[in-house]
Each structure stands twice: as structure tokens, then as C-alpha cells.
């Protein structure tokens, strides 16, 4: 662990990313305490510019709602969607990839064709179709994002497992009489974990972007204040109140950037043999 | 059932010249008028297609016997004079002499009879319901038409506008399949402008009718209706000078304050008096606890409609006081108060049978303004202690859900056509509450007393009697709050100030550009 942290710290960008993400997480957790009122509450006159009112630092939107409160509550939604949909996507992708890679042959063929079927459909278009069929609610947004995000996981895990299954320690485990399930769970997957963790951190970022895009198009849950919704609602007034789209846009940018930086740091720390030595 | 022509704010365009626009100087002939049309109409044969944009463009091509000023008083158009008998049963119209269709054939009383008795009966369900009250139409000579009614029907004089009763050439349509007649692609009317060319997706070009029966009119040589699908691009088209007239609803409400500040820009919210677009929230009284009048009253008092007017509609329009728009005939302003009063609302809600149930609120999928409005209403209701969930939908989904009564609260707005018997009673009659239509008595409001009074009031010959009856009806309905009335919508027409008279009747730009002229000094 100490070794891991040392290598992670070596990547300065990753540390900055971690700090930003920590701030976002802190905001998300503190939002209900800092802004106990609903972010939908209309508190002041509409279109109040930032830094003109002592209590409303970032001003108000088209209905006089507190922008800062919206950003804070939106952080919670974005992180929630990012995390949960990634977990769901992993829950689909890891077993599919592991089974395909371990058993090869016909199992591999069937599972990989299925994966490719999903991969050939543009993921954003598929997410829109799914949400058009179901009601756009938070649950379905998460499901839609998970459904379009799992194929890369499956392919990555399959690749890792394919190379691991021929190693000596797997053969040793087979000889010692362990069943396939035990071998996959206790010997193969733990060794594939570093690659999965790195991919997962990037998937969280991807999911946040996807949720924002969907909300921007009006396909998000209309009862939930998210960053994408804030930008979508503000885009018609971009010429008169540019900050209403700019501020949540910055929030998305910073969070996604932070997650990408962390992903890179994790890669350095978890896959040391691949790390560029020159740095 | 009356069929509402419910089209997005986008629909109506320029109107005729009127007393409201400055009448400075002598009209000058010549020039080209560039107008936005949104969305592109599906067709221009006004007797068959009735969409808002169709009414706007075809209003230049077709005319009816009358038109209506902003107080809804009839003026002659194709009719020179008219007479209503004492008993309210006989309507006699004298037609103008020397009127011809665009193809040169004369317009006569035979065309009127064919239009009202044959053509529109088949193609326009709204006109059909009015014509069902007519026993016979006589044409004693080429320039006289007599409608004989079965019973007195006060609103009858209000149906002769170009959307409800456009005059159709008998010589072209008699004996043909109206809907599939190839002539529908090159509409022929009596109006001030003739159909020129239609480049789909780009523009519709109308040219001056040189043989128009009014001396010197129309003043402009040609009219272009430009199809520009995106609201922001429409605003830019005005700013760059590509178009000179933005009919009501063609730009987003947020953009109106910015555009009205531009140089040489005039704005008017006139020209909607006939339609009297009134917005409200349907309350589904089939669902508990919305059948409880206290819950409905609580919701009514919870809505801050002045805020919605100022924040979402830039102060345009009026806060509604009840089921009638203030521009509709027999409007009574002194009905019970339904103003914003959250304290009273909370009290009413506590006394009511509401128990924290989740109320589903269906917004109107007509763009940003309506979406924000639904959010504001949800917040208003949340603040008096209700549990409200927004239900997203698209236009087709909205129609479906409202027709199937699959909602608790739903936004809408409808036209009133100047008279409560034409555009209001349909919303409150228990006989018109069958599921399947999103335009009838969707709330399922059941009140035998108002039913009876609506029936009687439509048949009264004396306007004073009708006023008294409608006043009682309005008081009763407002106390019951079957719907949550929001705003009388204001759809401002924006135009360059040197374009004179774009709006001068109760139908605004829909009445065509007969009197428009362009000041080039």
C-alpha cells in the first residue's frame, strides 16, 4: 500500500485530480447541510448575476433559483450516477469477460458476439433510445448508462483473463483440485484487478459526461437538479446570461478532468512495469 | 365537439392594418414583406388544413364574409352588409359586387352556399357543428345569401372569419374529391395575395392580387414567408434584416426583451382577441384526492401566477381570473378571488382530504418556457406541502396521456373563438367528457347546473340575457376550480416600425396583409 501511494504521488497530475475530486465529494456530501433548501426553490429575482448578492454568490437562474445550491446538489447527482452506473456496468462486464476469457471456445464466441452487438451501436444513440422507451427517471438513466458502458469492460477483462489462464499459478491451482469458480474468483480476477480499477475510474468520468449530455437534451429525470440539466435549461439564454451555462460546464469539466488524472495515476501506481521510466 | 387549433405559440403571423398601428402618412405602394412562418405548414388549402401556420399564410389567399375588430365587432369583408332578424333566426348577407377569384371567375352567393353547406361540412368538424344549427341556406340572387337557423344561436355572427369559414371556389371543387383535388396545391381564393411558389423547407412566395376589389390594395407587391426551424436562427434572421416581421411566438420569450430594444422595432400583443388563448392546468377529477374541491382551491391559491407572467412571459399576457379570457364576449371580471395566497392555500390543504399522495404533473412539451413553468408550479405546490412529480413527455406522448386521462395535473392552453358557446363550454360540459380526446372536458368536471345554463345561454337571442347567464356560470365554475387557470397568453408580434398596420383585427396576422404598407421615407 505504501509502495502504491508512493508511485501514485509520483504523478503530480493525479494528486491534483485527487484534490479536486475530494472537493467535489465534500461538496456533494455537504450540500444538504450547506443548502438545506431545495435547489428548485425560487429565492430571488431571475437572472441575478454572480457576486451581486451576499447570500447568493453565483446568482440565480431563469426562475430565480440559487445557482450555487444547484451546483452543490448537482455534484451529488453526478457522482451518484457516475458511481452507480459504473458499478452496474462492472457487474455485467466483468462476469461476461471472465467467462469468455476463461472458458474460450463456444462460450467465448457467444459472449463476444453479444458484446460486439452492443458495441456496434453508438452508445449515446442507444442510451437515448432506451430513455425514450422508458420514462426518464434517475433509475432508468443509470440503467441506460450502464447498458451502454459494459462492453469495453467485458473486452478488457476477457483479454486479461486470456493471458492469465495459461500462467503457472493457474495450472497449479487446477492441479490442486480447485473448481473453475474458485480459480476465477480467487486467482484470475484478483490479478486482473489493476486494469479494471483504472478502467473504472475512466468509466465514472464517462458516465458523468453521458448523464450530462442526456439531461442537456432533456432526457434526464426532470425532478432532479443535475449539471447537465442546468446547462440545458440555460442554453437558450446563453447570449444574455452566459454564466448560467458556463458555471455548471466548468463543474463538469473539472470533475471529469480530475477523474481522468486519477485514472492515469492509478495506472502508474498499479501497473508499474508499464510506467514511463523517464518521468 | 369543437376542434381546437392548438398550435404552438409559433403559429400566427401578421395581421391587417388597424387603428392601433400609427396611421402616419399616406400609404405607399410597393415593396416586399418578409415574414417568419413557424413551423412550415402541411398545406395551404384552408378549407382542408387548419394548422396555425396554414391559417396565417392562407389568410392572405382566402377571405370570409366578415372580419372582427379587437372588440370582436364584425366588419364587412366579402359581405357588404348583413342583417339579423328580430327573432335571431335569419341572417341575411349582401355580398360585394365585382369580386373575383384569383382565376378570374366571379365570386357569388352560390360559392357561399357551396362552401358552408357542402365543402366545410365535410372537411371542417368545427364548422360542421355550427352548420348543424342551420336549417337552410337561400340564394335569392347572386349577391344575397340567407341563413335560416333552427333556433336562435347568438354566436353565429362570430363564425365568419377566414379560419372557420374561408370562401371556396365552387367551380373548382364541386363534385370532386375535396381532400385529393390537385387544386389544393395551388390555392385559389379571393384574397389580396395570390399563391406564387412554395419551395419546401425554404419559403412560400405570395404575389399581389392585381384585380383585388379594394381600390389600391394591397399595397405591397409580394410576401415571402420564410421557413426557419430554429428559434435562435429566427431571432438572428430578424437582427440581420432577412425578415421584417416575427409573428407571435416565433422567438423564445427570453429573446423578446433583447429584440424589442433593437432600432426601428415595434411590438404589439394585439391580434389575439378572437382566439383569446387561455392557459390552465387540467385537474383530473377522476383521481383522489383531486375530486376534493378543497385540494383544488388550495392548489389554485398556491400558484404565483404573477411571477410566472413576469419571469417566464416577460410581463406579457394577463393573469386569468376564471374560465373566460378577458377578450372573450360575456367575460365577467368580478368572480371569486383565486389569487396567490400561500397561507390560505396551506390552511385549505390541511382541512382537505390530501394525505401526502404523489401528484403527477404533466408539462406541455412546447419548449423551454413551458418546461420552466412546470418546474415553477411544482415548486409552488411543494411549498404548501404537496408532493409533486414532474412527468416528462413529447407532443405525441402528451396527447396520448391527456386523451387517456393518464395524469393528475396537466398543462394546456386553448383558443376561445370569441364566444363562450364556441370555445369555453366544451371544456366544462359533462356531456363532452368522454376520454379519447385531449381537447374536451378533460378534467371530467360534472355539474348539471352549469351544463343546463351553458345550453340555455347559447340559445338566448338577447346579449343582455346571455351576459347574465354567463356571469352566473363563471361564478359557479370559479368556486369549483375544476381547472387551475394560469394566464391569458400574450404572443407579441414584433415588426419593423416602418411596416405599417401589420395587426389590425382580432385575428392579427391571420387576417392577411390587406392593409399593410411599407414606409420607405
Amino acid at each position: 500500500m505504501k509502495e502504491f501511494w508512493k508511485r501514485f504521488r509520483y504523478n503530480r497530475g493525479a494528486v491534483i485530480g485527487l484534490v479536486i475530486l475530494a472537493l467535489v465529494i465534500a461538496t456533494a456530501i455537504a450540500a444538504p447541510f450547506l443548502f438545506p433548501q431545495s435547489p428548485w426553490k425560487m429565492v430571488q429575482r431571475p437572472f441575478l448575476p454572480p457576486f451581486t448578492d451576499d447570500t447568493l454568490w453565483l446568482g440565480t437562474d431563469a426562475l430565480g433559483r440559487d445557482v450555487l445550491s444547484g451546483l452543490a446538489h448537482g455534484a451529488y447527482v453526478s457522482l451518484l450516477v457516475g458511481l452507480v452506473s459504473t458499478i452496474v456496468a462492472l457487474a455485467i462486464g466483468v462476469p461476461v469477460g471472465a467467462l469468455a476469457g476463461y472458458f474460450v471456445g463456444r462460450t467465448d464466441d457467444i459472449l463476444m458476439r453479444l458484446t460486439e452487438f452492443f458495441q456496434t451501436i453508438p452508445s449515446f444513440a442507444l442510451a437515448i433510445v432506451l430513455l425514450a422507451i422508458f420514462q426518464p427517471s434517475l433509475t432508468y438513466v443509470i440503467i441506460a448508462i450502464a447498458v451502454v458502458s459494459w462492453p469495453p469492460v467485458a473486452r478488457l477483462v476477457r483479454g486479461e483473463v486470456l493471458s492469465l489462464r495459461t500462467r503457472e499459478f493457474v495450472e497449479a491451482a487446477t492441479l490442486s483440485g480447485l473448481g473453475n469458480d474458485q480459480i476465477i474468483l480467487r486467482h484470475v480476477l484478483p490479478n486482473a484487478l489493476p486494469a479494471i480499477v483504472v478502467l473504472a475510474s475512466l468509466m465514472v468520468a464517462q458516465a458523468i459526461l453521458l448523464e450530462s449530455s442526456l439531461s442537456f437534451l432533456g432526457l434526464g429525470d426532470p425532478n432532479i437538479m443535475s449539471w447537465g440539466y442546468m446547462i440545458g435549461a440555460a442554453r437558450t439564454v446563453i447570449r444574455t446570461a452566459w454564466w448560467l451555462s458556463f458555471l455548471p460546464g466548468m463543474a463538469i469539466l473539472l470533475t471529469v478532468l480530475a477523474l481522468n488524472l486519477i485514472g492515469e495515476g492509478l495506472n502508474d501506481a498499479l501497473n508499474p512495469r508499464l510506467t514511463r521510466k523517464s518521468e | 365537439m369543437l376542434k381546437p387549433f392548438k398550435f404552438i405559440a409559433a403559429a400566427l403571423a401578421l395581421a391587417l392594418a388597424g387603428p392601433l398601428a400609427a396611421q402616419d402618412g399616406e400609404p405607399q405602394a410597393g415593396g416586399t414583406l418578409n415574414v417568419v412562418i413557424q413551423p412550415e405548414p402541411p398545406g395551404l388549402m384552408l378549407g382542408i388544413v387548419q394548422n396555425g401556420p396554414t391559417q396565417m399564410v392562407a389568410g392572405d389567399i382566402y377571405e370570409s364574409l366578415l372580419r372582427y375588430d379587437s372588440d370582436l365587432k364584425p366588419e364587412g369583408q366579402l359581405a357588404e352588409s348583413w342583417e339579423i332578424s328580430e327573432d335571431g333566426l335569419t341572417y341575411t348577407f349582401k355580398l360585394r359586387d365585382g369580386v373575383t377569384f384569383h382565376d378570374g371567375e366571379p365570386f357569388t352567393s352560390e360559392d357561399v352556399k357551396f362552401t358552408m353547406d357542402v365543402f366545410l361540412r365535410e372537411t371542417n368538424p368545427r364548422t360542421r357543428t355550427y352548420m348543424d344549427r342551420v336549417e337552410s341556406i337561400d340564394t335569392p340572387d347572386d349577391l344575397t345569401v340567407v341563413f335560416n337557423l333552427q333556433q336562435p344561436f347568438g354566436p353565429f355572427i362570430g363564425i365568419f372569419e377566414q379560419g372557420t369559414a374561408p370562401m371556396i371556389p365552387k367551380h373548382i371543387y364541386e363534385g370532386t374529391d375535396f381532400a385529393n383535388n390537385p387544386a389544393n396545391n395551388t390555392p385559389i381564393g379571393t384574397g389580396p395575395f395570390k399563391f406564387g411558389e412554395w419551395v419546401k423547407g425554404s419559403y412560400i412566395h405570395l404575389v399581389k392580387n392585381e384585380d383585388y376589389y379594394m381600390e389600391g390594395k394591397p399595397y405591397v407587391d409580394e410576401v415571402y414567408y420564410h421557413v426557419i426551424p430554429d428559434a435562435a436562427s429566427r431571432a438572428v434572421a430578424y437582427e440581420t434584416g432577412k425578415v421584417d416581421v416575427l409573428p407571435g411566438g416565433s422567438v423564445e420569450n427570453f429573446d423578446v426583451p433583447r429584440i424589442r430594444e433593437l432600432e426601428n422595432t415595434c411590438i404589439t400583443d394585439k391580434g389575439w382577441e378572437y382566439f383569446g388563448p387561455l392557459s390552465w392546468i387540467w385537474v383530473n377529477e377522476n383521481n383522489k384526492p383531486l375530486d376534493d374541491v378543497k385540494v383544488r382551491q388550495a392548489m389554485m391559491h398556491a400558484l404565483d401566477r404573477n411571477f410566472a407572467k413576469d419571469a417566464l412571459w416577460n410581463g406579457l399576457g394577463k393573469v386569468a381570473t376564471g374560465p373566460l379570457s378577458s377578450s372573450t364576449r360575456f367575460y365577467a371580471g368580478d368572480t371569486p378571488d383565486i389569487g396567490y395566497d400561500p397561507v390560505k392555500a396551506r390552511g385549505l390543504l390541511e382541512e382537505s382530504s390530501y394525505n401526502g399522495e404523489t401528484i403527477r404533473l404533466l408539462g406541455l412539451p412546447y419548449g423551454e418556457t413551458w418546461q420552466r413553468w412546470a418546474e415553477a408550479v411544482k415548486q409552488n405546490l411543494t411549498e404548501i406541502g404537496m408532493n409533486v412529480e414532474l412527468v416528462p413527455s413529447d407532443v405525441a406522448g402528451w396527447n396520448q396521456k391527456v386523451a387517456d386521462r393518464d395524469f393528475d395535473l396537466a398543462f394546456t392552453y386553448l383558443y376561445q373563438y370569441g364566444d363562450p358557446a364556441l370555445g369555453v363550454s366544451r371544456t366544462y360540459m359533462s356531456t363532452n367528457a368522454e376520454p379519447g380526446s385531449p381537447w374536451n372536458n378533460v378534467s371530467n368536471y360534472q355539474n348539471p347546473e352549469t351544463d343546463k345554463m351553458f345550453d340555455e345561454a347559447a340559445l338566448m337571442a338577447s346579449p343582455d340575457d346571455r351576459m347574465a347567464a354567463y356571469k352566473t356560470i363563471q361564478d359557479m365554475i370559479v368556486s369549483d376550480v375544476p381547472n387551475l387557470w394560469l394566464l391569458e397568453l400574450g404572443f407579441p408580434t414584433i415588426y419593423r416600425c416602418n411596416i405599417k398596420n401589420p395587426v389590425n383585427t382580432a385575428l392579427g396576422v391571420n387576417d392577411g396583409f390587406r392593409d399593410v404598407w411599407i414606409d420607405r421615407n
Side-chain angles (χ1 to χ4, degrees), chain B residues 331-347:
Chain B
Y331 164 78
D334 51 347
T335 42
D337 173 57
I338 51 170
Y340 178 50
D341 188 345
V343 178
K344 188 173 173 186
R346 243 171 256 131

Side-chain angles (χ1 to χ4, degrees), chain A residues 89-168:
Chain A
L90 290 178
I92 307 171
V94 170
V96 169
L99 292 176
Y102 189 80
F103 290 110
V104 295
R106 175 153 301 177
T107 319
D108 187 28
D109 282 345
I110 294 172
L111 290 174
M112 281 304 110
R113 293 305 84 74
L114 178 74
T115 311
E116 278 156 14
F117 173 74
F118 276 90
Q119 268 191 317
T120 49
I121 306 172
S123 58
F124 191 55
L126 180 58
I128 290 178
V129 170
L130 288 172
L131 283 175
I133 296 170
F134 303 111
Q135 284 287 345
S137 71
L138 191 60
T139 315
Y140 283 118
V141 168
I142 289 174
I143 291 175
I145 294 176
V147 165
V148 302
S149 324
W150 68 267
V153 182
R155 296 205 74 94
L156 176 89
V157 172
R158 173 177 173 272
E160 290 285 315
V161 173
L162 268 181
S163 84
L164 288 169
R165 68 190 287 275
T166 54
R167 302 280 178 84
E168 285 92 346

Side-chain angles (χ1 to χ4, degrees), chain B residues 154-186:
Chain B
F156 193 70
I157 194 64
I159 73 165
F160 293 97
E161 51 91 19
Q162 45 89 1
T164 315
M167 290 303 141
I168 313 281
K170 181 181 180 186
H171 63 275
I172 292 178
Y173 285 96
E174 192 176 31
T176 66
D177 174 4
F178 301 153
N180 297 313
N181 193 319
N184 294 344
N185 297 323
T186 51

Side-chain angles (χ1 to χ4, degrees), chain B residues 334-450:
Chain B
D334 51 347
T335 42
D337 173 57
I338 51 170
Y340 178 50
D341 188 345
V343 178
K344 188 173 173 186
R346 243 171 256 131
L348 281 163
L349 194 66
E350 257 161 48
E351 294 167 25
S352 76
S353 57
Y354 180 71
N355 248 333
E357 292 93 339
T358 299
I359 305 292
R360 294 165 300 156
L361 171 60
L362 185 62
L364 199 57
Y366 283 179
E368 295 290 313
T369 301
W370 293 91
Q371 219 175 317
R372 294 293 90 71
W373 205 352
E375 290 161 9
V377 163
K378 175 187 171 180
Q379 191 58 28
N380 280 154
L381 295 177
T382 306
E383 274 162 28
I384 64 159
M386 295 184 78
N387 214 338
V388 181
E389 189 185 86
L390 290 179
V391 181
S393 79
D394 52 15
V395 176
W398 182 93
N399 281 340
Q400 186 72 40
K401 283 199 168 73
V402 175
D404 294 348
R405 314 298 192 243
D406 177 17
F407 67 94
D408 292 324
L409 301 175
F411 274 80
T412 194
Y413 78 90
L414 289 177
Y415 290 167
Q416 306 212 318
Y417 303 104
D419 194 292
L422 304 184
V424 179
S425 59
R426 59 179 171 157
T427 304
Y428 302 98
M429 296 283 284
S430 64
T431 49
N432 195 26
E434 274 297 296
S437 164
W439 320 117
N440 58 5
N441 178 359
V442 167
S443 293
N444 195 21
Y445 175 59
Q446 301 281 346
N447 186 337
E449 269 181 273
T450 50

Side-chain angles (χ1 to χ4, degrees), chain B residues 4-293:
Chain B
F5 308 117
K6 189 162 190 308
F7 271 85
I8 303 207
L12 307 207
L14 303 210
L16 310 208
L20 36 121
Q23 296 277 7
D24 39 346
E26 276 293 295
Q28 300 170 10
T32 300
L33 204 53
N34 289 290
V35 187
V36 157
I37 183 78
Q38 158 63 24
E40 184 162 23
L44 292 178
M45 175 38 188
L46 191 50
I48 292 168
V49 192
Q50 283 275 304
N51 299 25
T54 301
Q55 297 202 33
M56 183 161 103
V57 178
D60 285 313
I61 301 170
Y62 293 95
E63 293 176 322
S64 190
L65 299 183
L66 304 174
R67 52 202 231 152
Y68 302 90
D69 71 10
S70 53
D71 297 323
L72 301 181
K73 264 186 47 207
E75 291 172 8
Q77 176 71 41
L78 288 169
E80 203 166 50
S81 64
W82 58 98
E83 230 177 63
I84 307 171
S85 65
E86 281 295 294
D87 56 9
L89 289 175
T90 316
Y91 287 66
T92 310
F93 292 88
K94 284 272 174 214
L95 306 181
R96 269 178 210 272
D97 202 359
V99 178
T100 55
F101 282 105
H102 294 158
D103 59 1
E105 293 287 321
F107 164 76
T108 70
S109 55
E110 283 302 316
D111 293 302
V112 180
K113 182 170 176 173
F114 170 75
T115 299
M116 300 304 289
D117 215 19
V118 182
F119 194 98
L120 294 176
R121 246 189 222 277
E122 180 177 323
T123 59
N124 187 333
R126 201 159 55 89
T127 310
R128 189 187 311 138
T129 56
Y130 307 149
M131 291 311 295
D132 285 346
R133 299 172 185 269
V134 175
E135 195 162 276
S136 65
I137 303 177
D138 299 332
T139 52
D141 63 57
D142 270 2
L143 298 179
T144 311
V145 187
V146 183
F147 292 85
N148 299 303
L149 275 60
Q150 296 161 345
Q151 289 169 298
F153 182 56
F156 193 70
I157 194 64
I159 73 165
F160 293 97
E161 51 91 19
Q162 45 89 1
T164 315
M167 290 303 141
I168 313 281
K170 181 181 180 186
H171 63 275
I172 292 178
Y173 285 96
E174 192 176 31
T176 66
D177 174 4
F178 301 153
N180 297 313
N181 193 319
N184 294 344
N185 297 323
T186 51
I188 299 281
T190 59
F193 293 92
K194 297 195 280 194
F195 176 76
E197 166 188 38
W198 184 353
V199 180
K200 294 266 156 101
S202 184
Y203 63 84
I204 299 169
H205 181 207
L206 305 183
V207 294
K208 178 176 179 169
N209 176 4
E210 299 286 351
D211 303 321
Y212 196 58
Y213 53 88
M214 286 185 174
E215 193 57 40
K217 291 181 182 178
Y219 302 111
V220 259
D221 291 335
E222 50 184 355
V223 183
Y224 281 95
Y225 285 97
H226 296 275
V227 179
I228 307 173
D230 171 64
S233 311
R234 290 194 287 275
V236 170
Y238 181 81
E239 286 172 89
T240 56
K242 182 182 177 187
V243 299
D244 302 316
V245 183
L246 294 169
S250 41
V251 293
E252 291 280 358
N253 286 341
F254 318 103
D255 261 346
V256 172
R258 190 171 57 82
I259 294 174
R260 73 192 298 173
E261 294 307 317
L262 298 173
E263 211 182 309
N264 187 28
T265 296
C266 288
I267 182 166
T268 176
D269 57 0
K270 296 262 190 179
W272 288 86
E273 295 83 1
Y274 184 80
F275 298 110
L278 184 71
S279 56
W280 66 77
I281 296 175
W282 294 115
V283 181
N284 191 342
E285 274 137 60
N286 299 316
N287 296 358
K288 285 196 181 311
L290 303 173
D291 54 341
D292 180 351
V293 67

